[in-house]
Amino acid sequence: MKHHIRIAPPGPKASRIIEITKKHTYDSTFVYPLVIKGGHDCVIEDVDGNEFLDFTSNVGSCPLGYSHPEILQVLKEYSNNGAHKIAGQDFYSEEHAALAERLVSILPRGFKVFLINSGAEAVENSIKIAYRKMGPLPGVSCKNAFHGRTLGALTFTSSKPVQKTNFPELPVLRIKFCITDDDPEINSAENILKENKVAFIISETVQGEGGYSIASKKFIQNLRKLATKYGVPLILDEVQSGLGHTGKWWAFEHYGVEPDIMSMAKALQVGATGFRVELEPTEKGVISSTWGGGARIDMAVGAKTIQVIEKEKLLENAIKMGTVLKNGISELCGKNGIEDVRGIGLMIGIECQSKERRDAVLLSMFRHGILALGAGQKAIRIIPPLIINEEQVNEGISVIHESCSAL
Ligand SMILES: Cc1ncc(COP(=O)(O)O)c(C=O)c1O
């Protein structure tokens, strides 16, 4: 709502910071002139005193919003501890052990984890574990997938050509990411597996960057069956969907399957590769990372985040609020340039009729004090913090309606 906006963004402070940033850094994928200063609850404040209701949770990285008392307490406890960024691959820490223990408690039985920095690194280590077992064979990945942008992970990403042009690739075989059970290509992985030796199959269950598309149940269940039948590890990428945004800890739980290897990050604050214990490399040093679990403070926040999601029943809240949000936005379907509204829990995609229309809606929402981001070619991604309440959800719905119908 406009009442959050004191100065039409970008205000003077934001303009100055953006100018310096553009002068000295690569102009990355900035969407609108938001310069973050702080936040509270589900609200992000900019440097000019504007307040925005956050429907991005920083792409799922801030599931508890910006002032959860238990997270603030962790930050306080670490404020006098200088030994926060440690070589966590070489030295042990209590935070590393505590996060691993908590994480394993919500993973499929028989999994171990390896803590690293980012989502892309979690994918890198997932594919390394698979290559180590299977050899340097092609990997199977989906069209429109996003698995990160480091060079190894980037091969298996295919959401946008700009991310890949002129960059060399590992061997890869691509299949369609099927969103309906009756898709004629639902079983196309089998043709590939019959004719080729492969190292792994990697997929998201909800494509994030690719446009918030939700895999058909049969498609994911087929991948699981085929991976087992052909003795190939199935890697499921939970970097964006994991830790509760779909209303379950892991999006694959909606499909009644378990992966052999999985990648996690974002809400966890650090990256993590999970793997069946049988796949653990037997020699030391096979997989690695620059900083182990990132910083000790991040690992401590990650562990606390899992604990709070459990304690405050935020998985249930994701389902409840997600239903209200999806129903409210769905009223726009077929009107005002909105073609489709889809989602699971608090991961909701709004498909617009064109990229231009999508960008205009995002900008209008921003000017009305609601933050959302794009995904895919022409979708809006809605992924609010898990703590969002009904009043905030309704505020978001009315701004989305206003923004779509005003254009
Ligand atoms: C499904 C998925 N995998 C991997 C990544 C890469 O994660 P990061 O940006 O932490 O490297 C992302 C990031 O958006 C993602 O959504």
Side-chain angles (χ1 to χ4, degrees):
M1 298 261 176
K2 286 200 176 79
H3 63 255
H4 292 302
I5 303 298
R6 293 156 44 119
I7 302 173
K13 286 188 186 158
S15 297
R16 196 173 53 80
I17 292 166
I18 292 169
E19 196 187 315
I20 296 170
T21 308
K22 283 191 189 258
K23 185 169 172 203
H24 296 295
T25 75
Y26 171 60
D27 196 6
S28 183
T29 49
F30 301 109
V31 269
Y32 35 63
L34 171 71
V35 180
I36 296 177
K37 180 169 186 203
H40 58 89
D41 186 44
C42 295
V43 172
I44 285 183
E45 300 152 5
D46 83 355
V47 285
D48 294 293
N50 293 317
E51 290 196 341
F52 301 85
L53 182 57
D54 177 28
F55 273 24
T56 75
S57 60
N58 281 278
V59 198
S61 302
C62 303
L64 304 183
Y66 304 99
S67 56
H68 194 285
E70 296 202 39
I71 298 295
L72 294 184
Q73 183 58 31
V74 174
L75 300 180
K76 205 165 139 199
E77 279 163 19
Y78 279 81
S79 64
N80 280 327
N81 186 339
H84 54 90
K85 186 95 177 165
I86 59 162
Q89 227 70 161
D90 302 310
F91 303 128
Y92 294 103
S93 70
E94 192 175 356
E95 295 77 12
H96 197 137
L99 176 56
E101 191 173 36
R102 273 224 180 264
L103 189 51
V104 163
S105 76
I106 55 168
L107 289 180
R109 195 186 294 268
F111 262 59
K112 284 181 105 171
V113 291
F114 183 69
L115 302 184
I116 50 238
N117 299 289
S118 66
E121 223 183 345
V123 170
E124 295 282 340
N125 282 296
S126 298
I127 64 178
K128 277 188 182 174
I129 289 173
Y131 284 136
R132 193 70 173 189
K133 176 174 161 57
M134 307 294 290
L137 298 164
V140 178
S141 87
C142 293
K143 292 176 188 163
N144 286 325
F146 189 88
H147 296 298
R149 296 170 69 167
T150 50
L151 275 176
L154 185 65
T155 290
F156 305 100
T157 286
S158 73
S159 54
K160 292 193 182 82
V162 67
Q163 297 162 351
K164 296 175 70 85
T165 309
N166 273 5
F167 299 149
E169 292 209 323
L170 293 167
V172 58
L173 297 162
R174 287 193 205 287
I175 53 171
K176 182 172 176 188
F177 182 82
C178 299
I179 57 170
T180 57
D181 284 352
D182 59 1
D183 191 307
E185 292 187 49
I186 197 98
N187 215 16
S188 62
E190 177 130 45
N191 303 334
I192 289 182
L193 295 174
K194 261 191 215 154
E195 287 165 20
N196 303 273
K197 284 197 160 166
V198 306
F200 55 84
I201 303 170
I202 184 166
S203 183
E204 298 150 277
T205 49
V206 180
Q207 282 193 333
E209 259 332 273
Y212 274 37
S213 303
I214 297 146
S216 94
K217 205 161 186 169
K218 197 167 160 198
F219 174 67
I220 295 294
Q221 289 177 343
N222 263 358
L223 291 185
R224 177 63 274 173
K225 278 187 211 147
L226 293 169
T228 306
K229 179 171 166 189
Y230 289 89
V232 171
L234 175 65
I235 304 172
L236 293 178
D237 185 346
E238 290 276 357
V239 166
Q240 192 158 158
S241 53
L243 232 62
H245 282 286
T246 67
K248 294 201 184 275
W249 284 114
W250 314 108
F252 60 70
E253 292 175 51
H254 293 281
Y255 294 80
V257 300
E258 286 179 0
D260 301 302
I261 305 173
M262 58 191 280
S263 44
M264 303 156 269
K266 296 201 190 289
L268 200 59
Q269 310 300 303
V270 302
T273 300
F275 50 89
R276 284 191 197 290
V277 84
E278 312 85 84
L279 289 166
E280 183 175 20
T282 45
E283 287 164 81
K284 275 172 170 265
V286 171
I287 50 175
S288 192
S289 152
T290 44
W291 290 101
R296 289 173 62 209
I297 192 165
D298 292 333
M299 292 188 278
V301 172
K304 183 58 79 178
T305 299
I306 297 176
Q307 201 186 348
V308 170
I309 293 174
E310 248 166 9
K311 197 167 70 180
E312 297 187 0
K313 300 196 181 337
L314 295 179
L315 301 183
E316 285 89 330
N317 195 53
I319 299 278
K320 215 165 129 198
M321 292 302 116
T323 305
V324 178
L325 196 47
K326 196 165 109 183
N327 289 344
I329 303 172
S330 291
E331 287 169 21
L332 284 165
C333 222
K335 293 184 266 185
N336 304 113
I338 303 302
E339 293 182 337
D340 185 33
V341 177
R342 53 190 175 244
I344 321 186
L346 281 173
M347 273 188 96
I348 297 170
I350 310 172
E351 190 74 28
C352 301
Q353 79 193 9
S354 66
K355 177 182 183 312
E356 291 67 34
R357 172 109 206 154
R358 187 270 311 273
D359 292 348
V361 173
L362 281 178
L363 193 60
S364 168
M365 288 170 66
F366 171 65
R367 290 190 175 134
H368 287 78
I370 303 278
L371 301 179
L373 285 167
Q377 303 304 323
K378 53 188 181 70
I380 294 173
R381 93 176 79 193
I382 303 285
I383 177 167
L386 300 179
I387 56 164
I388 196 123
N389 64 34
E390 195 150 353
E391 193 187 338
Q392 292 162 330
V393 162
N394 285 329
E395 181 179 339
I397 293 170
S398 72
V399 169
I400 293 169
H401 276 249
E402 202 180 317
S403 296
C404 290
S405 49
L407 293 171

